[in-house]
Amino acid sequence: MKVVFFGTPEFAIPTLEKLLNHPELEILAVVTQPDKRRERGNKLTPSPIKTLALNYNLPVWQPERIKKDRETLAKLQQTEADVFVVVAYGQILSKKILNMPKLGCINVHGSILPKYRGAAPIQWCLCNGESETGITTMLMDVGMDTGDMLLKATTPIGLLDNADNLAERLATIGGDLLIETLLKLKLKEIQPVPQNNAEATYAPLIQKQDYELDWSKSAIQLHNQIRGFYPNCLTTFRNQTLKITATLPLGSAYAEEIPPDLAKICQKLPDLSNISGSPGEIVSIAKGIGAIAQTGAGLLLLREVQLAGKRPQSGWDFVNGTRLTIGEVLK
């Protein structure tokens, strides 16, 4: 089976690697976003997918706007590929492109469709407190993740999962599911299933305001926001920006999911139930672990933070380094 691969970020790497290592699949070319200038040194930096493709001596095409790039369109047509595989490419494909390959364009999407169509499904499913997510392979059409579904695979979401480690897990699942999808398509063992649009939800691009923490929200809402938009959620501490990158909501409802290294926090729960303060106020400090903040409903342990201009540090190092005291307020 002849394949052209479209992808850009780290998330797409496991899928391309599995395609490259499968004896029944031939990668003809890779299409990825143009190199971008990064803040440090302002040097042009290739996408992770371009780097991998060049290591395998594959042709790499990087059109600025693929729908209007005549040279790339001509090259794609000339490949006579059986299938185009698309994993987090970053540009919308025209109907002309979608109709080029014999078996169509297959997308590996990071949600259980029709839920979380759009640009940031992994982040929003965490922010919304979902207990399960997964990967869907689908036949692409001109809509935003509206094509007929092929195969699905699910994975549970743990209390301490964040956008990074969940994406890593889903990327691996996606690579395996795509291989299964392609082989079954070749044998005509898959019947595409239309999506139920009435059940669709959306995962839009993340905006700056999505990173801002509102301490009047509940502990679990803040925890889900922090892990969903990891590592960028922020608050104000002593008139400076403070990123909060890892937390733990405290309460009996979450006790079973608390990892062994935080087990001693469970011993404090009875005492903590008698403590209260204003939203954002540091109401207790767990020795060796970190500060505990009051929220609009429940308490939140600060497991990892990052002061402006500094590296991320554990909650306990933050307490010691700043000489944090009970009664200080995050805003």
Short mmCIF file of all heavy atoms in Angstrom, two decimals, residues 27-94:
data_model
loop_
_atom_site.label_atom_id
_atom_site.label_comp_id
_atom_site.label_asym_id
_atom_site.label_seq_id
_atom_site.Cartn_x
_atom_site.Cartn_y
_atom_site.Cartn_z
N ILE A 27 6.06 4.44 2.30
CA ILE A 27 5.88 5.89 2.43
C ILE A 27 6.53 6.56 1.23
O ILE A 27 7.75 6.50 1.05
CB ILE A 27 6.50 6.42 3.74
CG1 ILE A 27 5.99 5.62 4.95
CG2 ILE A 27 6.20 7.91 3.91
CD1 ILE A 27 4.51 5.69 5.15
N LEU A 28 5.72 7.23 0.42
CA LEU A 28 6.22 7.88 -0.79
C LEU A 28 6.79 9.27 -0.51
O LEU A 28 7.76 9.68 -1.13
CB LEU A 28 5.08 8.00 -1.81
CG LEU A 28 4.37 6.70 -2.21
CD1 LEU A 28 3.22 7.01 -3.15
CD2 LEU A 28 5.35 5.73 -2.86
N ALA A 29 6.16 9.99 0.43
CA ALA A 29 6.59 11.36 0.75
C ALA A 29 5.93 11.79 2.06
O ALA A 29 4.95 11.17 2.51
CB ALA A 29 6.22 12.32 -0.37
N VAL A 30 6.47 12.85 2.64
CA VAL A 30 5.92 13.41 3.87
C VAL A 30 5.63 14.89 3.64
O VAL A 30 6.45 15.63 3.10
CB VAL A 30 6.92 13.25 5.04
CG1 VAL A 30 6.50 14.09 6.24
CG2 VAL A 30 7.02 11.78 5.44
N VAL A 31 4.43 15.31 4.04
CA VAL A 31 4.02 16.72 3.96
C VAL A 31 3.92 17.26 5.38
O VAL A 31 3.24 16.67 6.23
CB VAL A 31 2.67 16.88 3.23
CG1 VAL A 31 2.35 18.35 3.03
CG2 VAL A 31 2.67 16.13 1.91
N THR A 32 4.60 18.37 5.65
CA THR A 32 4.61 18.94 7.00
C THR A 32 4.61 20.46 6.91
O THR A 32 4.80 21.04 5.83
CB THR A 32 5.81 18.41 7.81
OG1 THR A 32 5.68 18.79 9.18
CG2 THR A 32 7.13 18.94 7.25
N GLN A 33 4.40 21.12 8.04
CA GLN A 33 4.38 22.58 8.06
C GLN A 33 5.77 23.15 7.80
O GLN A 33 6.78 22.51 8.12
CB GLN A 33 3.87 23.08 9.42
CG GLN A 33 2.41 22.74 9.69
CD GLN A 33 1.47 23.77 9.07
OE1 GLN A 33 1.53 24.06 7.88
NE2 GLN A 33 0.59 24.32 9.89
N PRO A 34 5.84 24.36 7.27
CA PRO A 34 7.14 25.00 7.06
C PRO A 34 7.92 25.17 8.37
O PRO A 34 7.32 25.25 9.44
CB PRO A 34 6.76 26.38 6.47
CG PRO A 34 5.41 26.18 5.88
CD PRO A 34 4.72 25.18 6.76
N ASP A 35 9.25 25.20 8.24
CA ASP A 35 10.08 25.45 9.43
C ASP A 35 9.66 26.76 10.09
O ASP A 35 9.29 27.72 9.40
CB ASP A 35 11.55 25.54 9.03
CG ASP A 35 12.10 24.24 8.46
OD1 ASP A 35 11.34 23.26 8.40
OD2 ASP A 35 13.28 24.21 8.07
N LYS A 36 9.73 26.77 11.43
CA LYS A 36 9.33 27.98 12.16
C LYS A 36 10.49 28.53 12.97
O LYS A 36 11.36 27.79 13.42
CB LYS A 36 8.15 27.65 13.09
CG LYS A 36 6.86 27.38 12.35
CD LYS A 36 5.70 27.27 13.32
CE LYS A 36 4.38 27.08 12.55
NZ LYS A 36 3.23 26.97 13.47
N ARG A 37 10.46 29.84 13.17
CA ARG A 37 11.47 30.48 14.02
C ARG A 37 11.08 30.33 15.48
O ARG A 37 9.95 30.63 15.86
CB ARG A 37 11.63 31.96 13.65
CG ARG A 37 12.19 32.15 12.26
CD ARG A 37 12.66 33.56 12.02
NE ARG A 37 13.15 33.72 10.65
CZ ARG A 37 14.36 33.38 10.25
NH1 ARG A 37 15.23 32.87 11.11
NH2 ARG A 37 14.74 33.55 8.99
N ARG A 38 12.00 29.83 16.27
CA ARG A 38 11.76 29.66 17.69
C ARG A 38 12.34 30.83 18.46
O ARG A 38 13.26 31.52 17.99
CB ARG A 38 12.40 28.35 18.19
CG ARG A 38 11.94 27.12 17.43
CD ARG A 38 10.44 26.89 17.58
NE ARG A 38 10.00 25.76 16.79
CZ ARG A 38 8.72 25.40 16.64
NH1 ARG A 38 7.78 26.11 17.22
NH2 ARG A 38 8.40 24.36 15.90
N GLU A 39 11.82 31.05 19.66
CA GLU A 39 12.24 32.20 20.46
C GLU A 39 13.74 32.20 20.72
O GLU A 39 14.41 33.21 20.55
CB GLU A 39 11.47 32.22 21.78
CG GLU A 39 9.98 32.53 21.60
CD GLU A 39 9.23 32.54 22.90
OE1 GLU A 39 9.89 32.53 23.96
OE2 GLU A 39 7.99 32.56 22.88
N ARG A 40 14.27 31.08 21.15
CA ARG A 40 15.68 31.03 21.51
C ARG A 40 16.56 31.05 20.25
O ARG A 40 16.59 30.11 19.48
CB ARG A 40 15.97 29.78 22.34
CG ARG A 40 17.40 29.70 22.88
CD ARG A 40 17.55 28.55 23.85
NE ARG A 40 16.75 28.74 25.04
CZ ARG A 40 16.65 27.85 26.03
NH1 ARG A 40 17.31 26.70 25.95
NH2 ARG A 40 15.92 28.08 27.09
N GLY A 41 17.28 32.15 20.04
CA GLY A 41 18.16 32.26 18.89
C GLY A 41 17.46 32.64 17.60
O GLY A 41 18.11 32.94 16.61
N ASN A 42 16.12 32.59 17.60
CA ASN A 42 15.33 32.95 16.42
C ASN A 42 15.74 32.15 15.17
O ASN A 42 15.67 32.63 14.04
CB ASN A 42 15.44 34.45 16.14
CG ASN A 42 14.28 34.96 15.30
OD1 ASN A 42 13.17 34.45 15.39
ND2 ASN A 42 14.53 35.96 14.47
N LYS A 43 16.20 30.92 15.39
CA LYS A 43 16.62 30.08 14.27
C LYS A 43 15.43 29.31 13.71
O LYS A 43 14.52 28.93 14.43
CB LYS A 43 17.70 29.09 14.73
CG LYS A 43 19.03 29.74 15.08
CD LYS A 43 20.04 28.68 15.47
CE LYS A 43 21.40 29.31 15.81
NZ LYS A 43 22.39 28.28 16.20
N LEU A 44 15.49 29.09 12.39
CA LEU A 44 14.46 28.26 11.77
C LEU A 44 14.60 26.83 12.27
O LEU A 44 15.69 26.25 12.21
CB LEU A 44 14.60 28.30 10.25
CG LEU A 44 13.98 29.52 9.55
CD1 LEU A 44 14.33 29.49 8.07
CD2 LEU A 44 12.47 29.54 9.73
N THR A 45 13.50 26.27 12.75
CA THR A 45 13.52 24.93 13.33
C THR A 45 12.55 24.03 12.58
O THR A 45 11.38 24.39 12.39
CB THR A 45 13.13 24.98 14.82
OG1 THR A 45 13.99 25.90 15.50
CG2 THR A 45 13.25 23.61 15.46
N PRO A 46 13.00 22.87 12.13
CA PRO A 46 12.09 21.95 11.43
C PRO A 46 11.10 21.30 12.39
O PRO A 46 11.36 21.20 13.59
CB PRO A 46 13.04 20.90 10.84
CG PRO A 46 14.21 20.90 11.77
CD PRO A 46 14.37 22.32 12.23
N SER A 47 9.98 20.87 11.87
CA SER A 47 9.01 20.15 12.70
C SER A 47 9.58 18.79 13.09
O SER A 47 10.47 18.25 12.42
CB SER A 47 7.70 19.95 11.92
OG SER A 47 7.88 18.98 10.89
N PRO A 48 9.09 18.20 14.18
CA PRO A 48 9.54 16.86 14.56
C PRO A 48 9.36 15.84 13.44
O PRO A 48 10.21 14.96 13.25
CB PRO A 48 8.66 16.53 15.76
CG PRO A 48 8.34 17.86 16.37
CD PRO A 48 8.18 18.78 15.20
N ILE A 49 8.28 15.96 12.68
CA ILE A 49 8.03 15.02 11.59
C ILE A 49 9.04 15.19 10.46
O ILE A 49 9.52 14.21 9.88
CB ILE A 49 6.58 15.16 11.08
CG1 ILE A 49 5.62 14.46 12.04
CG2 ILE A 49 6.43 14.59 9.68
CD1 ILE A 49 5.80 12.96 12.17
N LYS A 50 9.40 16.43 10.15
CA LYS A 50 10.41 16.66 9.11
C LYS A 50 11.74 16.02 9.51
O LYS A 50 12.41 15.37 8.69
CB LYS A 50 10.61 18.15 8.86
CG LYS A 50 11.68 18.43 7.81
CD LYS A 50 11.90 19.92 7.57
CE LYS A 50 13.00 20.16 6.55
NZ LYS A 50 13.23 21.60 6.30
N THR A 51 12.13 16.20 10.76
CA THR A 51 13.39 15.64 11.25
C THR A 51 13.41 14.13 11.09
O THR A 51 14.39 13.55 10.62
CB THR A 51 13.61 16.03 12.72
OG1 THR A 51 13.64 17.46 12.83
CG2 THR A 51 14.91 15.46 13.25
N LEU A 52 12.31 13.48 11.47
CA LEU A 52 12.23 12.03 11.35
C LEU A 52 12.26 11.60 9.88
O LEU A 52 12.97 10.66 9.51
CB LEU A 52 10.94 11.52 12.01
CG LEU A 52 10.66 10.02 11.90
CD1 LEU A 52 11.77 9.19 12.54
CD2 LEU A 52 9.31 9.67 12.52
N ALA A 53 11.51 12.31 9.04
CA ALA A 53 11.44 11.95 7.62
C ALA A 53 12.80 12.05 6.95
O ALA A 53 13.19 11.18 6.15
CB ALA A 53 10.43 12.85 6.91
N LEU A 54 13.56 13.09 7.27
CA LEU A 54 14.88 13.26 6.67
C LEU A 54 15.84 12.16 7.12
O LEU A 54 16.73 11.75 6.37
CB LEU A 54 15.44 14.64 7.02
CG LEU A 54 14.71 15.83 6.38
CD1 LEU A 54 15.32 17.15 6.83
CD2 LEU A 54 14.71 15.73 4.85
N ASN A 55 15.66 11.69 8.35
CA ASN A 55 16.49 10.58 8.84
C ASN A 55 16.28 9.31 8.02
O ASN A 55 17.16 8.45 7.96
CB ASN A 55 16.19 10.29 10.31
CG ASN A 55 16.75 11.35 11.25
OD1 ASN A 55 17.64 12.11 10.87
ND2 ASN A 55 16.22 11.43 12.45
N TYR A 56 15.11 9.20 7.39
CA TYR A 56 14.80 8.05 6.54
C TYR A 56 14.95 8.39 5.05
O TYR A 56 14.52 7.61 4.19
CB TYR A 56 13.37 7.56 6.82
CG TYR A 56 13.25 6.72 8.07
CD1 TYR A 56 13.10 7.32 9.32
CD2 TYR A 56 13.29 5.33 8.01
CE1 TYR A 56 12.97 6.56 10.47
CE2 TYR A 56 13.16 4.55 9.16
CZ TYR A 56 13.01 5.18 10.38
OH TYR A 56 12.88 4.42 11.54
N ASN A 57 15.52 9.57 4.76
CA ASN A 57 15.74 10.01 3.37
C ASN A 57 14.46 10.07 2.55
O ASN A 57 14.46 9.76 1.35
CB ASN A 57 16.77 9.09 2.68
CG ASN A 57 18.13 9.15 3.36
OD1 ASN A 57 18.62 10.24 3.66
ND2 ASN A 57 18.71 7.99 3.61
N LEU A 58 13.38 10.47 3.21
CA LEU A 58 12.11 10.60 2.51
C LEU A 58 11.97 11.99 1.89
O LEU A 58 12.47 12.97 2.45
CB LEU A 58 10.94 10.38 3.49
CG LEU A 58 10.77 8.97 4.04
CD1 LEU A 58 9.73 8.98 5.16
CD2 LEU A 58 10.31 8.02 2.93
N PRO A 59 11.29 12.11 0.75
CA PRO A 59 10.97 13.45 0.23
C PRO A 59 10.09 14.19 1.22
O PRO A 59 9.14 13.62 1.77
CB PRO A 59 10.20 13.14 -1.07
CG PRO A 59 10.55 11.73 -1.41
CD PRO A 59 10.80 11.03 -0.12
N VAL A 60 10.40 15.46 1.49
CA VAL A 60 9.62 16.28 2.42
C VAL A 60 9.12 17.52 1.70
O VAL A 60 9.90 18.26 1.11
CB VAL A 60 10.47 16.69 3.65
CG1 VAL A 60 9.67 17.63 4.56
CG2 VAL A 60 10.93 15.46 4.43
N TRP A 61 7.81 17.75 1.75
CA TRP A 61 7.20 18.91 1.11
C TRP A 61 6.59 19.79 2.19
O TRP A 61 5.89 19.30 3.09
CB TRP A 61 6.12 18.47 0.12
CG TRP A 61 6.66 17.50 -0.91
CD1 TRP A 61 7.94 17.43 -1.38
CD2 TRP A 61 5.93 16.46 -1.57
NE1 TRP A 61 8.07 16.41 -2.30
CE2 TRP A 61 6.84 15.79 -2.44
CE3 TRP A 61 4.61 16.02 -1.54
CZ2 TRP A 61 6.46 14.72 -3.25
CZ3 TRP A 61 4.23 14.95 -2.35
CH2 TRP A 61 5.15 14.32 -3.19
N GLN A 62 6.86 21.11 2.10
CA GLN A 62 6.44 22.03 3.15
C GLN A 62 5.74 23.27 2.59
O GLN A 62 6.22 24.38 2.72
CB GLN A 62 7.66 22.49 3.97
CG GLN A 62 8.35 21.35 4.72
CD GLN A 62 9.57 21.84 5.47
OE1 GLN A 62 10.67 21.87 4.91
NE2 GLN A 62 9.38 22.25 6.72
N PRO A 63 4.59 23.10 1.98
CA PRO A 63 3.89 24.26 1.41
C PRO A 63 3.36 25.20 2.49
O PRO A 63 2.90 24.76 3.54
CB PRO A 63 2.73 23.61 0.64
CG PRO A 63 2.48 22.32 1.35
CD PRO A 63 3.84 21.84 1.79
N GLU A 64 3.42 26.50 2.21
CA GLU A 64 2.85 27.49 3.13
C GLU A 64 1.34 27.34 3.21
O GLU A 64 0.76 27.35 4.29
CB GLU A 64 3.21 28.91 2.66
CG GLU A 64 4.67 29.29 2.86
CD GLU A 64 5.00 29.66 4.29
OE1 GLU A 64 4.06 29.80 5.10
OE2 GLU A 64 6.19 29.78 4.60
N ARG A 65 0.71 27.21 2.05
CA ARG A 65 -0.75 27.01 1.97
C ARG A 65 -1.01 25.90 0.97
O ARG A 65 -1.01 26.13 -0.24
CB ARG A 65 -1.46 28.31 1.56
CG ARG A 65 -1.24 29.45 2.54
CD ARG A 65 -1.98 30.70 2.11
NE ARG A 65 -3.44 30.49 2.16
CZ ARG A 65 -4.32 31.36 1.65
NH1 ARG A 65 -3.89 32.45 1.05
NH2 ARG A 65 -5.60 31.12 1.75
N ILE A 66 -1.23 24.73 1.47
CA ILE A 66 -1.26 23.55 0.59
C ILE A 66 -2.39 23.62 -0.43
O ILE A 66 -2.23 23.15 -1.56
CB ILE A 66 -1.35 22.25 1.43
CG1 ILE A 66 -1.09 21.05 0.53
CG2 ILE A 66 -2.70 22.13 2.14
CD1 ILE A 66 -0.86 19.76 1.28
N LYS A 67 -3.50 24.23 -0.09
CA LYS A 67 -4.62 24.26 -1.02
C LYS A 67 -4.32 25.09 -2.26
O LYS A 67 -4.96 24.92 -3.31
CB LYS A 67 -5.87 24.82 -0.32
CG LYS A 67 -6.43 23.89 0.74
CD LYS A 67 -7.82 24.27 1.18
CE LYS A 67 -7.85 25.51 2.02
NZ LYS A 67 -9.21 25.78 2.56
N LYS A 68 -3.34 26.01 -2.17
CA LYS A 68 -3.04 26.90 -3.30
C LYS A 68 -1.63 26.70 -3.86
O LYS A 68 -1.20 27.47 -4.71
CB LYS A 68 -3.23 28.36 -2.86
CG LYS A 68 -4.67 28.68 -2.48
CD LYS A 68 -4.88 30.16 -2.27
CE LYS A 68 -6.34 30.47 -2.00
NZ LYS A 68 -6.59 31.92 -1.86
N ASP A 69 -0.94 25.68 -3.36
CA ASP A 69 0.42 25.43 -3.81
C ASP A 69 0.40 24.47 -5.00
O ASP A 69 0.29 23.25 -4.83
CB ASP A 69 1.25 24.85 -2.65
CG ASP A 69 2.73 24.81 -2.96
OD1 ASP A 69 3.12 24.15 -3.93
OD2 ASP A 69 3.50 25.45 -2.22
N ARG A 70 0.51 25.02 -6.20
CA ARG A 70 0.36 24.21 -7.42
C ARG A 70 1.43 23.12 -7.52
O ARG A 70 1.15 22.01 -7.96
CB ARG A 70 0.40 25.11 -8.65
CG ARG A 70 -0.79 26.05 -8.77
CD ARG A 70 -0.72 26.88 -10.04
NE ARG A 70 -1.87 27.76 -10.16
CZ ARG A 70 -2.04 28.62 -11.16
NH1 ARG A 70 -1.12 28.68 -12.13
NH2 ARG A 70 -3.10 29.38 -11.21
N GLU A 71 2.64 23.46 -7.11
CA GLU A 71 3.73 22.48 -7.20
C GLU A 71 3.46 21.28 -6.32
O GLU A 71 3.60 20.12 -6.76
CB GLU A 71 5.05 23.15 -6.80
CG GLU A 71 6.25 22.21 -6.93
CD GLU A 71 7.55 22.86 -6.49
OE1 GLU A 71 7.55 24.08 -6.21
OE2 GLU A 71 8.56 22.14 -6.43
N THR A 72 3.04 21.53 -5.07
CA THR A 72 2.76 20.42 -4.16
C THR A 72 1.55 19.62 -4.63
O THR A 72 1.54 18.39 -4.57
CB THR A 72 2.52 20.94 -2.73
OG1 THR A 72 3.67 21.66 -2.30
CG2 THR A 72 2.28 19.78 -1.77
N LEU A 73 0.53 20.31 -5.10
CA LEU A 73 -0.66 19.62 -5.61
C LEU A 73 -0.31 18.69 -6.77
O LEU A 73 -0.80 17.56 -6.85
CB LEU A 73 -1.72 20.64 -6.05
CG LEU A 73 -2.38 21.45 -4.93
CD1 LEU A 73 -3.31 22.51 -5.52
CD2 LEU A 73 -3.16 20.55 -3.98
N ALA A 74 0.57 19.16 -7.64
CA ALA A 74 0.99 18.33 -8.78
C ALA A 74 1.77 17.11 -8.30
O ALA A 74 1.57 15.99 -8.79
CB ALA A 74 1.84 19.16 -9.74
N LYS A 75 2.66 17.32 -7.32
CA LYS A 75 3.44 16.20 -6.78
C LYS A 75 2.53 15.16 -6.13
O LYS A 75 2.73 13.95 -6.30
CB LYS A 75 4.45 16.71 -5.76
CG LYS A 75 5.64 17.46 -6.35
CD LYS A 75 6.54 17.96 -5.22
CE LYS A 75 7.73 18.71 -5.73
NZ LYS A 75 8.56 19.24 -4.61
N LEU A 76 1.55 15.64 -5.37
CA LEU A 76 0.61 14.72 -4.71
C LEU A 76 -0.14 13.88 -5.73
O LEU A 76 -0.32 12.67 -5.56
CB LEU A 76 -0.37 15.50 -3.83
CG LEU A 76 0.19 16.09 -2.54
CD1 LEU A 76 -0.82 17.03 -1.90
CD2 LEU A 76 0.57 14.98 -1.55
N GLN A 77 -0.59 14.53 -6.81
CA GLN A 77 -1.32 13.82 -7.85
C GLN A 77 -0.45 12.77 -8.52
O GLN A 77 -0.89 11.65 -8.81
CB GLN A 77 -1.83 14.83 -8.89
CG GLN A 77 -2.81 14.23 -9.90
CD GLN A 77 -4.17 13.99 -9.28
OE1 GLN A 77 -4.85 14.92 -8.86
NE2 GLN A 77 -4.59 12.73 -9.22
N GLN A 78 0.81 13.12 -8.73
CA GLN A 78 1.73 12.21 -9.42
C GLN A 78 2.11 10.99 -8.59
O GLN A 78 2.56 9.98 -9.14
CB GLN A 78 2.99 12.99 -9.81
CG GLN A 78 2.78 14.00 -10.93
CD GLN A 78 3.91 15.01 -11.05
OE1 GLN A 78 4.95 14.86 -10.41
NE2 GLN A 78 3.71 16.04 -11.86
N THR A 79 1.93 11.05 -7.28
CA THR A 79 2.29 9.89 -6.45
C THR A 79 1.41 8.68 -6.73
O THR A 79 1.83 7.54 -6.51
CB THR A 79 2.18 10.23 -4.94
OG1 THR A 79 0.82 10.53 -4.61
CG2 THR A 79 3.09 11.37 -4.55
N GLU A 80 0.17 8.94 -7.16
CA GLU A 80 -0.80 7.86 -7.36
C GLU A 80 -0.90 6.99 -6.11
O GLU A 80 -0.94 5.75 -6.16
CB GLU A 80 -0.44 7.02 -8.59
CG GLU A 80 -0.46 7.82 -9.89
CD GLU A 80 -0.23 6.96 -11.11
OE1 GLU A 80 0.20 5.79 -10.95
OE2 GLU A 80 -0.47 7.43 -12.24
N ALA A 81 -0.92 7.65 -4.95
CA ALA A 81 -0.95 6.94 -3.67
C ALA A 81 -2.28 6.23 -3.46
O ALA A 81 -3.33 6.65 -3.96
CB ALA A 81 -0.72 7.94 -2.53
N ASP A 82 -2.21 5.15 -2.70
CA ASP A 82 -3.43 4.45 -2.30
C ASP A 82 -4.17 5.24 -1.23
O ASP A 82 -5.40 5.24 -1.19
CB ASP A 82 -3.09 3.05 -1.76
CG ASP A 82 -2.52 2.15 -2.83
OD1 ASP A 82 -3.21 1.94 -3.84
OD2 ASP A 82 -1.37 1.68 -2.66
N VAL A 83 -3.40 5.90 -0.34
CA VAL A 83 -4.03 6.58 0.79
C VAL A 83 -3.14 7.73 1.25
O VAL A 83 -1.91 7.66 1.17
CB VAL A 83 -4.28 5.58 1.96
CG1 VAL A 83 -2.99 5.04 2.52
CG2 VAL A 83 -5.14 6.19 3.05
N PHE A 84 -3.77 8.81 1.71
CA PHE A 84 -3.07 9.86 2.43
C PHE A 84 -3.41 9.68 3.91
O PHE A 84 -4.59 9.54 4.26
CB PHE A 84 -3.52 11.26 1.99
CG PHE A 84 -3.14 11.63 0.59
CD1 PHE A 84 -3.69 12.78 0.00
CD2 PHE A 84 -2.24 10.89 -0.16
CE1 PHE A 84 -3.34 13.16 -1.29
CE2 PHE A 84 -1.89 11.25 -1.45
CZ PHE A 84 -2.45 12.39 -2.03
N VAL A 85 -2.40 9.69 4.76
CA VAL A 85 -2.60 9.59 6.21
C VAL A 85 -2.33 10.95 6.83
O VAL A 85 -1.28 11.56 6.57
CB VAL A 85 -1.67 8.53 6.82
CG1 VAL A 85 -1.66 8.62 8.34
CG2 VAL A 85 -2.10 7.14 6.39
N VAL A 86 -3.26 11.44 7.64
CA VAL A 86 -3.15 12.77 8.22
C VAL A 86 -3.19 12.69 9.75
O VAL A 86 -4.16 12.19 10.33
CB VAL A 86 -4.29 13.70 7.72
CG1 VAL A 86 -4.12 15.11 8.27
CG2 VAL A 86 -4.33 13.72 6.19
N VAL A 87 -2.12 13.17 10.40
CA VAL A 87 -2.04 13.16 11.87
C VAL A 87 -1.56 14.54 12.33
O VAL A 87 -0.38 14.85 12.21
CB VAL A 87 -1.09 12.07 12.40
CG1 VAL A 87 -1.18 12.00 13.93
CG2 VAL A 87 -1.38 10.72 11.78
N ALA A 88 -2.48 15.36 12.81
CA ALA A 88 -2.12 16.68 13.36
C ALA A 88 -1.24 17.46 12.38
O ALA A 88 -0.21 18.00 12.76
CB ALA A 88 -1.41 16.52 14.71
N TYR A 89 -1.69 17.55 11.14
CA TYR A 89 -0.91 18.24 10.11
C TYR A 89 -0.91 19.76 10.35
O TYR A 89 0.14 20.40 10.31
CB TYR A 89 -1.45 17.90 8.73
CG TYR A 89 -0.90 18.75 7.60
CD1 TYR A 89 0.48 18.97 7.48
CD2 TYR A 89 -1.75 19.34 6.66
CE1 TYR A 89 0.99 19.76 6.45
CE2 TYR A 89 -1.25 20.11 5.63
CZ TYR A 89 0.11 20.33 5.53
OH TYR A 89 0.61 21.10 4.52
N GLY A 90 -2.10 20.35 10.56
CA GLY A 90 -2.14 21.77 10.86
C GLY A 90 -2.68 22.64 9.75
O GLY A 90 -2.74 23.86 9.90
N GLN A 91 -3.08 22.04 8.62
CA GLN A 91 -3.74 22.78 7.55
C GLN A 91 -4.95 21.99 7.08
O GLN A 91 -4.97 20.76 7.15
CB GLN A 91 -2.80 23.04 6.37
CG GLN A 91 -1.64 23.97 6.67
CD GLN A 91 -0.89 24.36 5.39
OE1 GLN A 91 -1.49 24.68 4.38
NE2 GLN A 91 0.44 24.33 5.47
N ILE A 92 -5.95 22.71 6.59
CA ILE A 92 -7.15 22.06 6.06
C ILE A 92 -6.90 21.62 4.63
O ILE A 92 -6.34 22.37 3.82
CB ILE A 92 -8.35 23.03 6.14
CG1 ILE A 92 -8.68 23.33 7.60
CG2 ILE A 92 -9.57 22.44 5.43
CD1 ILE A 92 -9.73 24.40 7.80
N LEU A 93 -7.30 20.39 4.32
CA LEU A 93 -7.12 19.85 2.97
C LEU A 93 -8.36 20.14 2.13
O LEU A 93 -9.49 20.00 2.59
CB LEU A 93 -6.86 18.35 3.03
CG LEU A 93 -5.68 17.88 3.89
CD1 LEU A 93 -5.47 16.39 3.70
CD2 LEU A 93 -4.40 18.64 3.57
N SER A 94 -8.13 20.54 0.89
CA SER A 94 -9.23 20.83 -0.02
C SER A 94 -9.89 19.54 -0.51
O SER A 94 -9.32 18.44 -0.39
CB SER A 94 -8.72 21.62 -1.23
OG SER A 94 -7.80 20.82 -1.97
#
